[in-house]
Amino acid sequence: MRTAGILPALALALATVAPATIAPPAAAAPNPTPTPTASRTPPKSPDPTPTSRTGDEPGGTGAGNAPVDPSRYQNTDCRNQYAGPATSAGEPWAQSRLQLDRLTPFATGRGVTVAVVDTGVDFRNDQLTLARAPHAASFVQDEDTPIPPWRDCAPGGHGTLVAGIIAARELPGAGLRGVAPLADIMSVRVAPGPEQGSAAALADGIRYAADNGADVINVSVVTSTEYDPLGQAVHHALDKGVVVVTAAGNTGGNQGNAEQWPAEFAAEKGYEGLIVVGAVDEQGKVADFSTTSVPVSVVAPGTNLTSTAPKGNYQRGQQGTSFAAPFVSGLAALLVEKYHHRLTPVQVKRLIEDTADHPGLDLPDRSYGYGMVNPYEALTQLLPDAGTTRRPETGPAIAPLPTPAAADSTPRRVALGVGGGAVALTLLVLAGVAVARRGRARGWRPGPNTDADAAR
C-alpha cells in the first residue's frame, strides 16, 4: 500500500521536513495512453463539475472526494496571517532576466485560466484582485471550520506567492508583474500549510481543475511517494488537453535527492506532456536544493524571489522549485493564448524546451533539462513540425560581471515547493555578447554544478 504524505514544493533550504503521511486506499495503476493531438476548446460551464468518486476510506480522505461544500466556509480569515513585510517589490532580478517587459506585444494571458493547486490564493492583494477566476474549490476535508480557497493560511502565503509570479497585474508604481499579467487564477486549495495535506487531496484538486475550465495547472505541492490516483489525475488532465506544470522538488544537495511526484511521472509513457521545472540562482547555476533525480524539462529562477503576499504587500527572499514552476506556468498561459487554445500539452512542452537557453551539455541534462526557460524566444519562435528531430546548438559560457551587494535577507522555511539551504545569491549580467536568433545561440551556459556532476 502506498503512502500519501504531501511535501509542498517550496524551500527545503533551511530545514529537512518529513512529510505527514496517511494510508490511502489501494488503486489501480494509471492507464497511460498517448496525449491527444486534437485541438482543445476549453470548457466554460457555468457550474463546477463535481469530482467523481473513485474510492473512499474512513473519514472521507480517499481520492475521489468532492470539494468542500461552500456553505461550510465560515472562517473568512487566517490566524497569524499578516500583510507582507515588504511594501515595495523593487526590481525583481527574475523579471529582468526573463525580459518580461518584452512579452506584452505577443501575449498577456488574456482569456486563459491557470489553476493554482496549492494552499489557497488571497485575492485581497491588489495585484491579484482582478485575476480571480470562478470555480475556486477546497479539498482540505479535515478542518472544523473550513478555510475558503480565496484565503491562504500557509506561512507567508505559499499559493499567493505562486499566483503572483504567474499573473500579478501591472499597477502604477509596482515593480512586480506576472509572466501572464492578464491570465485568470483558479484557486484550488489542497493543503493548509507546510507538511500538511494528502496526496489524495492533491489528486482530487488536479482532476477538479481539469474538469472545470483550467487551461494550465500549476502544481507547486509535491509528494515523496508514488500514489496511483495522483498519476491518474495528472493523466486525466493531460488527456483533456490541459497543460500541467509541476515543481521538481527540493530534495537536492544534502537532502538526498529523493524522487518526487508528480514530477517522476514524466518518465512514464503517457505523461509526455508533463512539464517538470527545476530551480536556478542568479548566476544560472542549479540551486543545490533542486531535485535532479526526476526528469527535469527546464529550469527557471528559484532563489531570492519576490512575489505577492496575502492581504497585501510582498514577500521577498523566497526560494524553491515551487517558485520556479509558476514562471513556466505563466509562459504556458501565454502560449495557450497566442495559439488560440489549439496546442496540445506535448506541443507546449516541446516549444518551451526547444526555445530554452540551452546549456553547453548533452540534452536533456540531468540538472538543467533543456536549459533556462526563455519566454521571449518561445513566443517568437515558429512552431516546430511534429516530426522534426531536435538538434540543439550549444555555445561558450557567458561570464557574469562582478556581483552587486547581496539582496534581501530572509529565505522562507516552508515545506511546499520552496528551495533549501543557505544559497549565496549573485546577479547574472549578460554583457558583451551579440544578440542572436536563439537563446542557445546567445551562448547561455550554466555555472559549474559540482554536486550534480559528482552525483553522475
Side-chain angles (χ1 to χ4, degrees), residues 309-404:
K311 296 189 176 182
N313 294 345
Y314 306 94
Q315 291 282 357
R316 303 179 73 172
Q318 307 304 302
Q319 58 182 13
T321 58
S322 276
F323 305 130
F327 285 106
V328 180
S329 293
L331 173 55
L334 298 180
L335 293 172
V336 168
E337 178 200 355
K338 178 182 176 182
Y339 290 99
H340 308 288
H341 299 261
R342 294 180 182 141
L343 297 185
T344 65
V346 169
Q347 288 175 308
V348 171
K349 177 179 179 178
R350 180 166 183 186
L351 191 51
I352 290 173
E353 290 177 342
D354 285 355
T355 58
D357 290 340
H358 298 309
L361 305 165
D362 292 336
L363 300 178
D365 177 68
R366 178 184 179 186
S367 301
Y368 292 89
Y370 283 86
M372 177 73 144
V373 65
N374 189 326
Y376 181 80
E377 291 292 336
L379 287 170
T380 56
Q381 174 70 24
L382 293 176
L383 193 63
D385 294 333
T388 56
T389 303
R390 294 178 175 177
R391 290 186 176 85
E393 304 166 15
T394 58
I398 298 174
L401 294 180
T403 58

Side-chain angles (χ1 to χ4, degrees), residues 97 280-286 299 356-362 368 370-372 393-400 428 430 433 439-449:
R97 172 64 180 82
V280 294
D281 61 21
E282 293 168 81
Q283 289 181 308
K285 178 182 180 293
V286 169
V299 291
D357 290 340
H358 298 309
L361 305 165
D362 292 336
Y368 292 89
Y370 283 86
M372 177 73 144
E393 304 166 15
T394 58
I398 298 174
L428 172 64
L430 305 181
V433 179
R440 55 179 174 269
R442 288 200 306 267
W444 180 86
R445 168 171 274 178
N449 188 359

Side-chain angles (χ1 to χ4, degrees), residues 1-5 21-27 56-58 225-229:
M1 183 175 291
R2 292 170 175 172
T3 57
T21 60
I22 64 169
D56 292 290
E57 70 174 7
T225 306
E226 185 178 3
Y227 180 51
D228 288 337

Side-chain angles (χ1 to χ4, degrees), residues 37-51:
T37 55
S39 62
R40 171 178 183 264
T41 301
K44 297 297 178 186
S45 58
D47 300 311
T49 302
T51 301

Side-chain angles (χ1 to χ4, degrees), residues 142-398:
D142 55 356
E143 293 174 319
D144 292 334
T145 54
I147 301 293
W150 48 87
R151 293 291 181 265
D152 184 358
C153 297
H158 187 261
T160 306
L161 292 161
V162 168
I165 292 171
I166 297 169
R169 280 2 188 199
E170 293 185 88
L171 294 179
L176 178 74
R177 58 155 281 174
V179 179
L182 292 182
D184 296 320
I185 296 293
M186 177 197 298
S187 176
V188 181
R189 186 170 179 261
V190 297
E195 301 179 74
Q196 299 171 316
S198 72
L202 178 57
D204 289 337
I206 291 171
R207 184 177 291 269
Y208 173 90
D211 288 342
N212 285 279
D215 301 296
V216 179
I217 299 175
N218 184 92
V219 184
S220 288
V221 176
V222 301
T223 177
S224 58
T225 306
E226 185 178 3
Y227 180 51
D228 288 337
L230 177 57
Q232 292 166 347
V234 172
H235 196 278
H236 174 74
L238 295 172
D239 255 355
K240 294 197 74 166
V242 180
V243 179
V244 182
V245 179
T246 184
N250 301 311
T251 62
N254 60 11
Q255 304 299 325
N257 207 29
E259 294 173 340
Q260 302 288 282
W261 283 265
E264 184 59 26
F265 289 123
E268 300 180 18
K269 181 180 178 181
Y271 295 87
E272 291 85 358
L274 178 60
I275 302 173
V276 179
V277 185
V280 294
D281 61 21
E282 293 168 81
Q283 289 181 308
K285 178 182 180 293
V286 169
D288 59 359
F289 56 77
S290 189
T291 302
T292 60
S293 58
V294 295
V296 175
S297 308
V298 289
V299 291
T303 65
N304 195 31
L305 300 174
T306 299
S307 190
T308 48
K311 296 189 176 182
N313 294 345
Y314 306 94
Q315 291 282 357
R316 303 179 73 172
Q318 307 304 302
Q319 58 182 13
T321 58
S322 276
F323 305 130
F327 285 106
V328 180
S329 293
L331 173 55
L334 298 180
L335 293 172
V336 168
E337 178 200 355
K338 178 182 176 182
Y339 290 99
H340 308 288
H341 299 261
R342 294 180 182 141
L343 297 185
T344 65
V346 169
Q347 288 175 308
V348 171
K349 177 179 179 178
R350 180 166 183 186
L351 191 51
I352 290 173
E353 290 177 342
D354 285 355
T355 58
D357 290 340
H358 298 309
L361 305 165
D362 292 336
L363 300 178
D365 177 68
R366 178 184 179 186
S367 301
Y368 292 89
Y370 283 86
M372 177 73 144
V373 65
N374 189 326
Y376 181 80
E377 291 292 336
L379 287 170
T380 56
Q381 174 70 24
L382 293 176
L383 193 63
D385 294 333
T388 56
T389 303
R390 294 178 175 177
R391 290 186 176 85
E393 304 166 15
T394 58
I398 298 174

